[in-house]
Amino acid sequence: QVQMVESGGGLVQAGGSLRLSCTASFGWYALGWFRQVPGKDREFVAAITWRTAMRDYADSVKDRFTISRHAINSSISLQMNSLKPEDTAVYYCAATLENSRNLKTVTYKYWGQGTQVTVSS
């Protein structure tokens, strides 16, 4: 059964940190994080490949967020530091089975339910 489980998120003050985690019940080529606020399109945040740990980040989070993969349970985490109110969104974990060097545009087939991140000013 295909299953993706997200954890983490919550409420934090600006400048604070949060950590998101995601576990997939199947083998994946890459896992990524996306975020969405009401009335706007979902946007790419970060992604990482399993085999080579190739990473990519949105410009808006580069140098503040770090995505990592963990071999023990085939999971990933997103460490979010120096959070800003504009980072407030529902964050989704997504998986792709496609072998691609462009982690921003590859099709992500499987999605988690989302977890809310709220950054207060």
Side-chain angles (χ1 to χ4, degrees):
Q1 181 180 358
V2 172
Q3 188 176 18
M4 298 186 63
V5 179
E6 300 148 330
S7 61
L11 173 63
V12 66
Q13 288 188 331
S17 300
L18 283 173
R19 180 184 172 97
L20 305 181
S21 296
C22 175
T23 301
S25 63
F26 52 92
W28 42 270
Y29 172 76
L31 284 181
W33 288 99
F34 292 73
R35 64 188 182 187
Q36 188 170 24
V37 297
K40 292 189 176 181
D41 291 337
R42 187 154 49 190
E43 65 171 354
F44 173 85
V45 176
I48 188 168
T49 61
W50 171 250
R51 191 173 67 85
T52 64
M54 179 178 68
R55 296 170 172 85
D56 199 4
Y57 295 93
D59 289 342
S60 59
V61 306
K62 205 171 290 185
D63 299 327
R64 298 189 297 125
F65 291 9
T66 301
I67 191 168
S68 303
R69 62 162 169 68
H70 309 288
I72 292 179
N73 55 359
S74 299
S75 66
I76 65 167
S77 59
L78 184 69
Q79 179 65 41
M80 305 185 293
N81 299 327
S82 302
L83 283 162
K84 305 174 182 180
E86 51 263 44
D87 293 317
T88 296
V90 177
Y91 283 69
Y92 296 90
C93 182
T96 181
L97 308 183
E98 295 181 28
N99 188 324
S100 171
R101 293 190 61 80
N102 193 329
L103 299 182
K104 288 187 174 74
T105 61
V106 69
T107 299
Y108 288 84
K109 184 175 181 180
Y110 302 103
W111 292 81
Q113 293 299 308
T115 184
Q116 177 70 46
V117 171
T118 303
V119 184
S120 62
S121 57

